[in-house]
Amino acid sequence: MDKNTPDENRVIDDNEQDMTTNVSDDNETESPTPSLRYAGFWTRFWAYIIDLVIVFSLNGLLLSPLWFTGGGHINVLEFFTLQGILSAVTSYAYFLLMTKWRGQTLGKMILGLKVVRKDAASPRWSDLFFREIIGRFIYRSLIFTNIIYIVVGFTDQKQGVHDIFGDTRVIHVEK
């Protein structure tokens, strides 16, 4: 086998590091980035379930005083309750801040996943705003929009719609 010929079925031993070279549209060679192992639908699904349990627990701890004071039923704009708004803020803040500061939420940490940009660098605030705020809002806005999360199983780099908006990928982290 020629070393310069790419082979998708090539096995990499522990002492060898696989490097791929990105080439831009004008055929200039960019710096090599390590080959990434993208996280699939089911691994990401279970990480999300773990994160939901954590967010629901946080909401229970932080917002339970509203139930005892009667503040949970205060209507805001005739449609939203104070508890609903604070619950959404807690959820968005958890996903946004954990992903920015650690590159992964607690669910992703447990399952060995991490969010990165296309060039394998840490996501910027703008990437995460589109991924965690705009993308998750679309998923949660209507009941049937949760179905589009299945796109993760059918794209080459296992990206969901929110990943495409933020130009991010979810990868397996080497332990």
Side-chain angles (χ1 to χ4, degrees), residues 9-163:
N9 297 325
R10 192 170 141 229
V11 177
I12 302 168
D13 67 358
D14 292 333
N15 297 325
E16 182 181 9
Q17 185 177 14
D18 183 25
M19 300 293 275
T20 58
T21 303
N22 293 331
V23 179
S24 63
D25 291 337
D26 50 355
N27 291 330
E28 292 179 13
T29 303
E30 296 177 3
S31 63
T33 57
S35 179
L36 304 174
R37 198 170 119 228
Y38 300 106
F41 174 81
W42 288 109
T43 309
R44 293 176 64 170
F45 173 79
W46 290 114
Y48 184 66
I49 295 298
I50 293 168
D51 287 329
L52 285 182
V53 169
I54 292 166
V55 168
F56 289 150
S57 299
L58 281 172
N59 280 333
L61 290 171
L62 297 174
L63 302 179
S64 60
L66 288 177
W67 285 105
F68 296 116
T69 62
H73 297 292
I74 297 173
N75 288 336
V76 179
L77 300 174
E78 299 291 323
F79 184 70
F80 301 105
T81 63
L82 180 59
Q83 182 177 12
I85 291 170
L86 293 176
S87 176
V89 167
T90 302
S91 176
Y92 287 120
Y94 168 80
F95 283 102
L96 179 67
L97 297 176
M98 286 294 296
T99 305
K100 178 58 183 169
W101 290 329
R102 305 288 299 178
Q104 50 195 170
T105 59
L106 292 174
K108 286 183 180 74
M109 285 180 199
I110 291 168
L111 296 179
L113 306 177
K114 187 173 184 174
V115 177
V116 296
R117 289 186 0 207
K118 179 172 50 175
D119 59 358
S122 296
R124 298 177 304 231
W125 281 108
S126 59
D127 301 326
L128 293 175
F129 177 78
F130 283 103
R131 181 183 198 277
E132 301 296 347
I133 306 297
I134 305 297
R136 289 196 190 277
F137 179 78
I138 290 171
Y139 283 137
R140 294 179 180 166
S141 61
L142 301 170
I143 299 294
F144 70 87
T145 55
N146 285 313
I147 303 285
I148 61 176
Y149 192 75
I150 202 150
V151 167
V152 169
F154 299 102
T155 59
D156 291 338
Q157 296 179 348
K158 307 296 183 197
Q159 289 179 288
V161 173
H162 63 299
D163 290 314

